[in-house]
Amino acid sequence: MKAIVRETYGSPSVLRLDDVPTPIVGDDDVLVRVHAASANAGDWHLLRGTPIPFRLVAGLNTPKYKIIGSDIAGTVEAVGRNVSQFKRGDEVFGEVSRCGFGAYAEYVAARECALALKPTNLSFEEAASVPTSGCTALQGLRKGKIQSGQKVAIHGASGGVGTFAVQIAKALGAEVTGICSTKKVEMIRTIGADHVLDYTLADFVNSNPKFDLILAANGDRSILDYRRTLTPTGRYVMSGGSNRQLCEALLLGPPLSIARQKLGNLLAKPNQSDLMVLKDLIEAGKVRPVIERSYRLSEVPDAIRYLESGHASGKLVVAMPLKYDLSL
């Protein structure tokens, strides 16, 4: 099969399109013919081996995982004898990081708990954009104890996680404010935000009224700024941002949460149960993926470069053609 592979840590230039063996299907595995995948921040962390502690899991000097990528949508090609939820021909989507990654390939083997039946009203490309970003948004709002009628702010509303978070928060009955740049304001309005703050024109820290929940899907402010923007019982959840934001959430979040406000970070864990929750929301017409660009498998390095630039709106997906040209 064709796949995007690498032998070392580094920039997207270390990736190449090559022939590799098709995964062997174990007794507990589902072999999926991948029709589409999507790019996530975890891809370039895995590619570059950063932050350095990440290598304790991914391999110290040599990458443990040769084929990166976690989000897929495709058709079940074969199942192991212990698999009971799926059969050959089923259309599925899922997140395969706990199965050894491998999304940027023609085929991937995954445990059935990593997959769910694809939403019937989505294409494969749309479905592939859902697992990591959709689950992160859902779990972030859940950790923030979201309730109907609350005032919720999504910082980084135009990114992959942010676009899902805006829609899920609306579906759960919140009054949603999306925070983004000027050129993305209209898009955030079209996906259902009640209010949109252009951070190039106004400082949301000075907003009034305060927010019951802030989900920083791509935050760039200090944890103290977010704290000042919360109601006395408000919650701040950091799910994406720089290493500084992560360190602040880890180190300062607990002592700042002694009072009624709660501040901290989220380590998202995509799972089958949440995939099914997202599937229901999507099939009910309450959530729809926002896709900015589609790439070919040979263009995965370009997709990761663009994602790493921080300018993507919504999701970047990779569509798998039936044949590949190694000269590309």
Side-chain angles (χ1 to χ4, degrees):
M1 70 172 185
K2 295 294 188 298
I4 293 291
V5 301
R6 53 81 183 263
E7 303 297 334
T8 184
Y9 290 116
S11 71
S13 63
V14 305
L15 298 171
R16 71 179 190 276
L17 183 64
D18 207 349
D19 286 295
V20 298
T22 301
I24 297 173
V25 184
D27 290 344
D28 300 310
D29 291 337
V30 178
L31 181 66
V32 179
R33 168 69 166 97
V34 180
H35 295 297
S38 72
N40 295 287
D43 294 344
W44 53 267
H45 285 301
L46 191 63
L47 177 62
R48 294 183 179 274
T50 58
I52 295 301
F54 183 72
R55 297 195 185 193
L56 295 175
V57 176
L60 290 176
N61 297 314
T62 302
K64 179 179 178 181
Y65 306 107
K66 305 300 183 184
I67 305 173
I68 63 173
S70 58
D71 286 2
I72 64 159
T75 305
V76 174
E77 187 76 11
V79 298
R81 63 181 179 179
N82 295 333
V83 173
S84 60
Q85 296 183 47
F86 305 105
K87 64 182 184 304
R88 191 173 189 275
D90 283 344
E91 296 182 349
V92 296
F93 74 130
E95 199 272 358
V96 298
S97 64
R98 290 171 295 169
C99 309
F101 297 91
Y104 296 133
E106 282 188 281
Y107 294 91
V108 66
R111 299 297 176 92
E112 59 185 335
C113 62
L115 305 170
L117 292 175
K118 180 179 76 67
T120 57
N121 56 340
L122 293 188
S123 67
F124 284 109
E125 290 183 40
E126 290 171 323
S129 74
V130 175
T132 294
S133 294
C135 285
T136 300
L138 178 64
Q139 292 172 20
L141 294 170
R142 187 184 288 148
K143 183 171 183 176
K145 307 293 184 182
I146 188 172
Q147 297 179 30
S148 178
Q150 285 186 327
K151 290 179 170 58
V152 175
I154 310 298
H155 193 191
S158 62
V161 174
T163 50
F164 280 107
V166 168
Q167 297 177 82
I168 294 170
K170 279 297 296 179
L172 296 176
E175 181 180 333
V176 180
T177 296
I179 302 169
C180 62
S181 63
T182 306
K183 66 179 182 179
K184 299 170 183 177
V185 166
E186 190 56 36
M187 184 266 283
I188 299 305
R189 286 199 181 102
T190 63
I191 62 173
D194 298 288
H195 315 284
V196 184
L197 287 179
D198 179 349
Y199 64 74
T200 68
L201 301 177
D203 187 352
F204 77 92
V205 174
N206 297 317
S207 65
N208 192 34
K210 304 297 184 182
F211 298 110
D212 300 295
L213 167 61
I214 299 172
L215 175 62
N218 189 17
D220 62 357
R221 301 298 294 267
S222 77
I223 195 171
L224 297 177
D225 284 342
Y226 288 116
R227 186 188 187 200
R228 287 196 294 272
T229 312
L230 292 172
T231 63
T233 58
R235 292 174 179 262
Y236 160 72
V237 179
M238 180 268 185
S239 70
S242 69
N243 287 334
R244 190 196 83 182
Q245 273 77 47
L246 176 59
C247 289
E248 286 184 348
L250 288 171
L251 299 178
L252 299 180
L256 291 175
S257 299
I258 294 175
R260 292 184 296 167
Q261 291 178 329
K262 303 298 177 185
L263 302 93
N265 73 304
L266 170 75
L267 179 60
K269 297 179 180 179
N271 58 78
Q272 188 181 67
S273 177
D274 284 346
L275 287 175
M276 295 173 71
V277 170
L278 292 166
K279 179 179 184 290
D280 290 341
L281 287 169
I282 290 167
E283 291 183 339
K286 296 179 179 179
V287 173
R288 188 83 185 183
V290 176
I291 295 175
E292 180 182 352
R293 298 185 185 181
S294 179
Y295 296 82
R296 294 177 293 179
L297 183 61
S298 59
E299 297 172 326
V300 165
D302 295 329
I304 294 177
R305 286 189 191 96
Y306 184 53
L307 182 67
E308 198 171 8
S309 75
H311 299 305
S313 298
K315 294 291 295 184
L316 308 178
V317 298
V318 176
M320 308 289 185
L322 294 177
K323 296 182 180 180
Y324 300 91
D325 183 354
L326 287 177
S327 68
L328 295 175

